[in-house]
Each structure stands twice: as C-alpha cells, then as structure tokens.
Amino acid sequence: MLNLNANEFTLTNHIFQTLETIAKSYGYEAVFTETFGKYNHKMDTGAVKIMAPSGDLLSLKSDPTPHATKQIAPLCDGYLKTYYKSSIVTLDHKAPIGLKESLQGGFEYYGNSGTESDAEIILLNCMVLNKLGVQNIHLDIGHIFFTAELIKSLNFSDTDLPDIEKALRKRSVESIKDLSLHQRKSLEKLLALTGSPIEVIKKAKTLATTPKLVESLDQLESIINRIQDLDSEQITKNKIALDLCLTHPKSYYTGPLFKVYSVDTGKTVAQGGRYDDLSKHFGYEFEACGGAIDIKNIIEVIKMKNTMTIDRTNFVLIYDEELFSPALDFSNWLRTKGFSVKFNLRPKDYSIALQSDYFKSVNQILDFNDGFIKVIDQLKNETYRISPDALKSRLISNPTSISIH
Amino acid sequence: MITIALSKGRVANAFLEKLRVLGIAIEPGSEKSLQFYDSSMLLKFILVKADDVPTYVQSAVAELGVVGSDVLKEYEFDGYELLDLKIGSCKLCLAGPATHAYYEKTWVTVASKYPKSTELFLKNSGKLGTVIKLNGSVELGPVVGISDVIVDLVESGRTLRDNNLIVIEEIEDVSTRLISNPVAYKTKFEAINRLIERLKNIEKEILNVQ
C-alpha cells in the first residue's frame, strides 16, 4: 500500500496546498469524498468490493469523481465548483498484494455545459503543475464522443472492438491488419489525427460526416481558444496538441478529454474531461467536467528536476546522561531562535547510528560534551569544536551560517 | 535528435542494416560502443539489454525503442507499438517431450523465461500449474526433470529437436517492434512518422536501389 517517506510526505502536502491555494483563488469549494459507496458495476471498474454487514455491496473509493458528484448532487442548483484531496485504492495485479493505494487531488466544475468550463478545468490543472515546477509539459486534448462515433460508423463487430481499443491505445496499425480495407484505412486516418490543433481539425473535418461530429470539433476549437484567452501567464503556449485517439479508462466520460504529460519523465501528470451523464446515476441531471493531478508522477518530476527544496531539520543535539540539563537548555535556546532541533541521548552504537537517515537528514550534528560542542556540519562536510557560548554568538551574529534548507 | 534504444545483438544489427538500406549512414563497427550516432547526428543509438528497452522508453530516456514483442508483453509495456519491423519473427510455443500427455494432465509444471505470458496461457487454456522462471537453457527443463514442459521462442525448432522436444502448441507470433513513449511520439511526431513511413516502405526502397 502507500508508503511515503518523510520527504515524499512533505512534498505531497506541498502539492495539496498548492492545489488548494489555486482552487480557492478561483472560488472552488472543498468537497469531502466518502470512503465507501454503493457498488456500481459501470463506475467501479477496478474497485475493491466489500460486503457490508447489511448485505449491501460497497466499493472502496477508487475514483473520487463519482463520490464527489454524488456528494454535491442534491446541492447543485446551478454552477458549482469544487476541489478535493483524497486517497484511493485500486486493484492492481502488479502490486505486491494486488492492491494499489494512491493520492489524488482535483477540480470539478458542475452545471456548466459551456466550453469555458472545460478550458478553466484544463488550465487550473496546468497552473498547479506550473506552480510546482512541472513546466516542461505537453497537453493533449481529444473528444471521446468524436472518437466513439467515428468508430461506431465503421460497423465493427463486437469481437473486433478489443483490437480497435488496442490499436488506439498502442497506436498500433498491426492490431487492425485483419480488418476490411475500408475499416483499416479509416482507422489509420483516425490514428493520424494527432498534432497541431489547426491541422488536425482541418483533417478531422473531412471525416466528420454528421452535424454532431462537426459540433464536437467546434467544441475542441473553442476550448483551445478559450485556454489561450484565459492563460495570461502563457503556461500552455506552444504546448497544446489535439489527439483524437485520446481515450480514458473510465467509461463515464462523454465529451472533451485532456491529458497532460511531463516531457521530462514521459508520464501523465494530470488528466480529466467532461462527464455530463454521471449525475444521472444518482437521480439528478446536470453537466460536469473535471480533472485531477497525479501526485506520484508529479513527485517523480519534482525529484528529477530538483525544483523544490525540502525543509531539513537544522540540528540533532546528542548528549550524555550527566549533561542532560545543560544540553536541554542549549536545545531550548536554539528553538527560541527559530531553529529546529532533534534532542537525543547518545545512542549505544553511536558511530553506526550516524549512518542512519535520522542523522543524515539534519544539517548539523551537535555532539554536546563537557565544556565544548563537536559540530559535524553535514552540508559543508566539516567538523570542528566550539564552546556553547561561542556557538551561540556565531548563531546570533550570523544565523544564516546555519542553512535553513 | 531522436534517441533509439536498441536491443543488443541480432535485433540491433538487423535494424541498423535496415537503416543503412534507407541511406542512414552509421559508421561500420560503431555499434561496438554502447552509444553512437548516425552521420547526420539526427539519430542517437543506445545499446541495452532487451529486457531494459521498455524501461528506457517508458522513462523517456529514449524516444524510440527496438525490441521483441515477447519482451513487451512480459514487461506489460504501456507505450505505443508503432511498427512491426519484421525482424526475428518466430513463435512463442509450448513444447515438451513427445511422450508427455499434456492435454490429459490437469496440473503441469512449466519452465519459461516468460512467466507472465505462460501464466496467462495456462489461465486461458483452463490449466492449473506451476511456472518456474528460468533465464536461459529453458529446453533443459523437461530433460533434467525440473518441469514437465516449457514455454519458449521457437524459430527453426532445431534446439527443441536437439533436446528431444516437440512443439505441443503455438501460443503466439513474436517479432521485433518499434516502440515509443507517448510524449516523445507527440512532441517529435513529424520526425518519428517520417522514419516510420520510410521503414514501412523499405521493400520499395530496396527495389529502387536495385
């Protein structure tokens, strides 16, 4: 299950705080997503099922969007903008116990069918990434309705559909080599619908044989224009592409989709789309779109690019029992001056303990002796002896001599 | 520049030969170093173990990779499989001693370099069994008694015959694929597609040269 070390946990909190700050500045309200929900075979693919004492079949939260939608449905009497932070658990045969726990944060925009809501959601996700230093991105926008309708018009049999799905997912023409010439040629055209928005829309319009297909392309054009209008910091400039083979593992998406990749790691860092029919599952009817960032993949980029410094503890102060009182006074004095201090009785295997993360993760080790302190500065890689008073004077006159980070 | 991770050995040599046919000049013998370039410096090649090619591509170190579909399936590669390069075509087969009554057994022990593909095959065949992962000389499995049968790649069938084994069932076709990381494919779409189109039409290019 989820296993974060201290640095990763700090990063996770920082990512959530960044999301929250941006969400609040755009008037989004926090929404709680419940841990269990009534099992729904359409929405809960990949969820862990649990039999409640009542006999009801429940699903453990594997996707916050349906949970958030259910939560706000009775309150949605017009526009409603929410954000969430949540942990999720999904079935994953690659994981050691067959389950994977991960963290997710995202935005949802309810009650608005206009493309400005899709654009806002996409841009908010990109803004969070930008703020976190994930700036080398590639943003793909697609339309699940366009893709699905085009495939439907080619009259595939049900047995062909897994190959079609594989062809789209893997960009693999090999998967469709046994189809009829017409079907294969049409799919090859669909597979080529990726790249510069203007060119892709031009090509796609030659395939759009119904007004609804044309309308979905117009929607995409409008979203891209609106993103550019809203993006005053130009964080998406030259980074947007259309991909009309874009699909999403969740089946409730109905319209425009987006996916943001980190160019540095090649991984997906945010994705989402429009899901106008989801509220119907809960007895309501309102449009919605949303998107979520992928915390794990973002942490990977931050670590790789070293874009965020983790706060380190300034000191660990080691003392022997007979020097407890002066050592305690010294550590308390350090704290009053704003430094962070770990306070520890000398471990039995001191030299071995020094190699542990507990000691290695602090800036300086202060080995408190009678009349002097042995300072091991782990950042500057130097060791020296100094009296407690002299060290105090040094810290008062030049507190930055101790690195804050 | 496009970085291509090549599966060391026969696959890399065959792929580089295809590029030479396309007029992409690679200094002969340069593939002896683990990293080298074509003469125009538009392509960079890195030679890695077959099992590592998907890792290099998935982590965006290399934009493209050249590796067998057997490795991709075992790795559960999540990127794009752009082209069948028709290099090293062979079959993944279930093989065993002619005397082994595979179809009558409900429980079998299978030795293989491909445990995931083997488990999937057993599951789809409705068989129960144990899969033993071996890293090489898989044919020895039934000979020394470590397994009843094996799942391995079969090209000519000579190694099987040498060890008194026969093909019991063909599982799937295997060949070398050109793979890509989705982001790399999108950000270098035109250059990658140009290369793909040339590789697709290589037979025509050979005729033109002749």
Side-chain angles (χ1 to χ4, degrees):
Chain A
M1 299 302 272
L2 194 62
N3 188 9
L4 299 175
N5 63 31
N7 282 356
E8 288 166 340
F9 188 58
T10 308
L11 273 176
T12 302
N13 281 337
H14 175 68
I15 293 168
F16 277 146
Q17 277 163 14
T18 305
L19 181 136
E20 190 158 39
T21 306
I22 290 173
K24 283 181 176 169
S25 72
Y26 275 74
Y28 282 64
E29 296 168 37
V31 66
F32 169 74
T33 56
E34 60 187 6
T35 307
F36 296 104
K38 207 159 194 176
Y39 178 75
N40 180 311
H41 75 280
K42 276 188 183 166
M43 284 181 293
D44 293 328
T45 326
V48 178
K49 293 187 276 265
I50 292 169
M51 184 70 80
S54 63
D56 290 322
L57 191 57
L58 305 179
S59 64
L60 186 55
K61 183 170 45 184
S62 63
D63 174 7
T65 300
H67 290 253
T69 305
K70 183 185 168 196
Q71 203 77 23
I72 62 89
L75 312 168
C76 189
D77 58 355
Y79 293 173
L80 182 61
K81 300 178 178 185
T82 65
Y83 71 94
Y84 63 82
K85 301 178 284 182
S86 173
S87 73
I88 54 174
V89 177
T90 45
L91 297 171
D92 181 355
H93 70 276
K94 287 185 195 170
I97 57 165
L99 295 176
K100 186 175 86 177
E101 184 179 13
S102 47
L103 295 163
Q104 199 173 304
F107 306 90
E108 313 286 357
Y109 191 153
Y110 301 103
N112 190 345
S113 61
T115 50
E116 75 272 17
S117 55
D118 302 271
E120 182 170 300
I121 287 290
I122 294 170
L123 191 59
L124 284 175
N125 279 276
C126 294
M127 285 168 71
V128 174
L129 296 170
N130 185 62
K131 195 88 182 159
L132 292 168
V134 185
Q135 286 149 351
N136 192 10
I137 56 166
H138 173 87
L139 165 59
D140 266 341
I141 301 179
H143 203 298
I144 192 73
F145 176 81
F146 181 91
T147 314
E149 280 299 295
L150 210 62
I151 290 170
K152 213 191 284 176
S153 72
L154 295 172
N155 297 320
F156 289 112
S157 68
D158 286 349
T159 50
D160 289 334
L161 288 176
D163 289 339
I164 311 303
E165 193 271 330
K166 189 178 173 195
L168 293 179
R169 192 164 40 86
K170 296 269 177 195
R171 298 294 148 129
S172 165
V173 180
E174 302 305 323
S175 316
I176 52 171
K177 62 185 175 195
D178 296 332
L179 299 175
S180 75
L181 187 65
H182 169 66
Q183 288 174 325
R184 204 171 64 232
K185 290 283 170 203
S186 303
L187 273 180
E188 280 176 10
K189 281 182 189 166
L190 180 62
L191 286 169
L193 291 179
T194 182
S196 136
I198 297 170
E199 282 175 28
V200 172
I201 285 182
K202 205 166 116 189
K203 279 189 216 164
K205 280 194 171 162
T206 64
L207 301 175
T209 47
T210 67
K212 279 202 158 185
L213 284 174
V214 175
E215 194 185 311
S216 57
L217 293 174
D218 291 342
Q219 255 185 321
L220 291 179
E221 217 166 356
S222 166
I223 290 170
I224 291 170
N225 290 337
R226 186 46 67 97
I227 291 173
Q228 286 163 349
D229 294 342
L230 292 170
D231 186 8
S232 54
E233 290 178 49
Q234 303 210 315
I235 57 178
T236 60
K237 193 180 176 191
N238 299 328
K239 290 170 181 168
I240 306 177
L242 276 188
D243 179 0
L244 291 176
C245 296
L246 203 61
T247 55
H248 196 288
K250 297 292 174 190
S251 59
Y252 51 72
Y253 284 97
T254 53
L257 293 176
F258 74 94
K259 204 167 191 178
V260 190
Y261 301 92
S262 156
V263 176
D264 297 310
T265 60
K267 304 251 172 85
T268 307
V269 282
Q271 63 179 322
R274 176 162 287 282
Y275 51 94
D276 286 342
D277 294 339
L278 187 57
S279 56
K280 289 178 189 163
H281 289 284
F282 309 113
Y284 296 86
E285 205 167 329
F286 50 83
E287 302 86 358
C289 59
I293 54 169
D294 187 314
I295 310 272
K296 184 172 159 270
N297 289 349
I298 291 173
I299 289 178
E300 200 179 309
V301 183
I302 291 175
K303 280 181 173 175
M304 183 191 187
K305 303 289 284 180
N306 205 13
T307 52
M308 209 195 102
T309 319
I310 308 285
D311 284 349
R312 287 164 61 101
T313 305
N314 298 126
F315 301 106
V316 58
L317 196 150
I318 301 297
Y319 63 93
D320 294 306
E321 191 60 56
E322 62 275 18
L323 294 174
F324 171 75
S325 290
L328 179 64
D329 290 346
F330 195 83
S331 67
N332 283 340
W333 180 86
L334 286 169
R335 290 192 188 104
T336 61
K337 298 297 171 197
F339 295 111
S340 50
V341 187
K342 291 174 176 174
F343 183 63
N344 281 92
L345 185 64
R346 186 182 307 280
K348 277 181 190 159
D349 300 319
Y350 180 52
S351 55
I352 296 169
L354 285 179
Q355 302 306 314
S356 67
D357 278 348
Y358 182 84
F359 286 92
K360 286 203 294 198
S361 64
V362 297
N363 292 347
Q364 296 194 357
I365 299 167
L366 306 181
D367 188 345
F368 204 85
N369 286 283
D370 198 7
F372 69 90
I373 295 171
K374 182 181 169 189
V375 180
I376 304 170
D377 189 327
Q378 305 203 102
L379 294 181
K380 292 180 185 158
N381 198 19
E382 61 184 28
T383 303
Y384 55 91
R385 282 155 59 107
I386 191 168
S387 72
D389 287 343
L391 183 56
K392 279 185 181 176
S393 305
R394 185 184 282 193
L395 292 171
I396 290 167
S397 61
N398 186 14
T400 53
S401 65
I402 301 297
S403 304
I404 298 300
H405 297 297
Chain B
M1 183 184 290
I2 295 175
T3 303
I4 309 178
L6 302 175
S7 171
K8 264 189 213 170
R10 258 197 319 174
V11 168
N13 293 339
F15 181 70
L16 292 173
E17 194 46 48
K18 274 183 188 271
L19 295 187
R20 283 193 188 102
V21 170
L22 296 177
I24 297 172
I26 294 138
E27 194 66 32
S30 59
E31 57 268 34
K32 283 177 187 157
S33 105
L34 294 178
Q35 184 174 300
F36 52 97
Y37 300 83
D38 76 315
S39 60
S40 62
M41 300 292 278
L42 292 174
L43 298 175
K44 175 183 169 185
F45 304 95
I46 50 175
L47 287 179
V48 298
K49 277 186 77 175
D51 291 348
D52 294 334
V53 172
T55 308
Y56 279 90
V57 174
Q58 201 114 295
S59 57
V61 172
E63 281 94 5
L64 296 175
V66 174
V67 68
S69 54
D70 52 330
V71 174
L72 295 175
K73 195 166 182 190
E74 205 58 25
Y75 184 88
E76 300 183 57
F77 177 65
D78 197 23
Y80 294 167
E81 285 176 37
L82 301 171
L83 191 63
D84 183 349
L85 289 163
K86 318 276 184 208
I87 296 171
S89 298
C90 55
K91 286 182 191 298
L92 187 70
C93 296
L94 177 84
T99 50
H100 188 263
Y102 170 77
Y103 291 106
E104 286 151 33
K105 306 269 182 188
T106 48
W107 184 280
V108 284
T109 309
V110 193
S112 181
K113 263 163 74 178
Y114 307 100
K116 284 180 187 163
S117 303
T118 305
E119 273 164 19
L120 188 68
F121 168 72
L122 289 178
K123 191 177 158 195
N124 291 342
S125 318
K127 285 269 184 208
L128 299 171
T130 308
V131 178
I132 297 167
K133 165 93 164 86
L134 292 179
N135 294 311
S137 304
V138 179
E139 300 80 7
L140 272 179
V143 177
V144 299
I146 200 172
S147 69
D148 301 321
V149 288
I150 63 168
V151 164
D152 204 10
L153 297 181
V154 179
E155 205 170 339
S156 66
R158 191 178 155 185
T159 320
L160 290 184
R161 282 194 298 277
D162 288 348
N163 289 284
N164 297 318
L165 304 176
I166 58 159
V167 171
I168 299 172
E169 199 167 321
E170 289 178 358
I171 299 172
E172 64 188 9
D173 292 328
V174 170
S175 63
T176 304
R177 303 293 162 93
L178 181 71
I179 60 170
S180 171
N181 176 292
V183 189
Y185 179 70
K186 284 149 197 265
T187 49
K188 297 193 174 170
F189 181 70
E190 282 179 12
I192 291 175
N193 257 4
R194 252 198 321 269
L195 180 64
I196 290 173
E197 284 309 312
R198 294 191 68 192
L199 285 165
K200 270 186 194 168
N201 294 320
I202 197 160
E203 304 302 329
K204 285 181 204 159
E205 300 225 13
I206 292 171
L207 287 175
N208 285 341
V209 171
Q210 287 168 347

